[in-house]
Amino acid sequence: MQCQFNTNIIMLTERQEDILEKSIQLIAEKGIQGFTTKNLSKAIGISEPAIYRHFKGKTEILLTILDNFKQMANMLSGMMAENKMNAKGKISFMFNNMVGMFTENPAMVSVIFSEEIFKNEDILRNKIVEILNKNEETVERIIKNGQKNNEIRKDINEKTLALMIMGSLRLLVKKWDLENYKFNLKSEGKLLIEGMSKILS
């Protein structure tokens, strides 16, 4: 089973889904400076006032994208709580799902990992922090349970190990994005999680 980004997680109209998809593509191509209602209306083929009939503005569009991502993080966390795999299996599953999501939706990297978007908007910054914290908490919980079951090393605390795992994922995905997706993210992700598994032992 694989958990991928899906705009249907939050109930949206077909036009709203189209606006979100075009917004993500626009940010990936032109950066946050190019994410204007004028450029967005051209990309979609509708007037600027028509956009405001579906969203209040750019901030609400970004919040909707992040809310969807947050719901996916919550869903993945719930799946891991119920799954009977061992700790390393759960971490590998989470890692592979995140890599798979970015592989299928490369433009999402420009939104999720763009500090430029969030640094001047408290509401957006707080939302991305919620997402990062949820993923870290999920990994921390998995590691802590793995330590109790003698599946994972105990000489490093769960918070540090979780930070190492999530930080490694972020660096790999961002490098892939900056290099215009020239290497196979899934293959490199597999190698990375295999290396992390040795560190966790």
Side-chain angles (χ1 to χ4, degrees), residues 86-88 145-153 200-201:
N86 63 28
K88 288 183 182 178
N145 289 333
Q147 289 173 329
K148 287 180 180 178
N149 296 328
N150 295 314
E151 298 168 1
I152 291 180
R153 63 190 301 167
L200 293 173
S201 299

Side-chain angles (χ1 to χ4, degrees), residues 20-21 49 64 70 73 89 111 123 163 192:
L20 293 181
E21 289 174 7
T64 304
K70 181 182 176 182
V111 178
I123 190 170
L163 188 61
L192 182 58

Side-chain angles (χ1 to χ4, degrees), residues 93-149:
F93 179 86
M94 276 194 68
F95 201 99
N96 288 329
N97 268 274
M98 291 178 181
V99 165
M101 187 276 293
F102 286 123
T103 300
E104 294 298 320
N105 306 275
M108 278 297 296
V109 180
S110 300
V111 178
I112 300 300
F113 293 154
S114 180
E115 294 83 358
E116 186 181 11
I117 294 175
F118 310 112
K119 64 181 180 181
N120 295 319
E121 290 256 19
D122 286 345
I123 190 170
L124 295 174
R125 182 168 60 248
N126 292 339
K127 184 66 67 174
I128 200 69
V129 168
E130 288 177 15
I131 296 168
L132 293 173
N133 286 345
K134 170 54 72 174
N135 285 327
E136 283 188 25
E137 287 167 8
T138 301
V139 175
E140 285 174 18
R141 185 174 65 247
I142 292 170
I143 291 173
K144 191 170 184 178
N145 289 333
Q147 289 173 329
K148 287 180 180 178
N149 296 328

Side-chain angles (χ1 to χ4, degrees), residues 10-108:
I10 297 172
M11 297 303 294
L12 300 168
T13 66
E14 186 175 340
R15 176 59 78 188
Q16 284 177 317
E17 289 183 11
D18 190 32
I19 290 171
L20 293 181
E21 289 174 7
K22 290 295 192 302
S23 295
I24 293 169
Q25 292 172 9
L26 192 58
I27 293 169
E29 293 169 5
K30 299 180 179 294
I32 193 61
Q33 296 88 352
F35 180 46
T36 64
T37 52
K38 182 178 181 179
N39 287 338
L40 184 57
S41 66
K42 287 181 180 178
I44 301 170
I46 62 175
S47 67
E48 289 184 60
I51 293 174
Y52 290 105
R53 289 200 290 270
H54 300 282
F55 292 99
K56 294 176 182 177
K58 294 188 297 181
T59 296
E60 187 178 24
I61 291 172
L62 289 170
L63 276 175
T64 304
I65 293 169
L66 293 178
D67 276 332
N68 196 294
F69 200 78
K70 181 182 176 182
Q71 287 199 26
M72 193 192 76
N74 288 336
M75 183 172 65
L76 189 56
S77 180
M79 290 167 62
M80 292 300 91
E82 297 174 2
N83 199 288
K84 302 302 180 184
M85 288 187 292
N86 63 28
K88 288 183 182 178
K90 288 183 178 183
I91 291 171
S92 179
F93 179 86
M94 276 194 68
F95 201 99
N96 288 329
N97 268 274
M98 291 178 181
V99 165
M101 187 276 293
F102 286 123
T103 300
E104 294 298 320
N105 306 275
M108 278 297 296

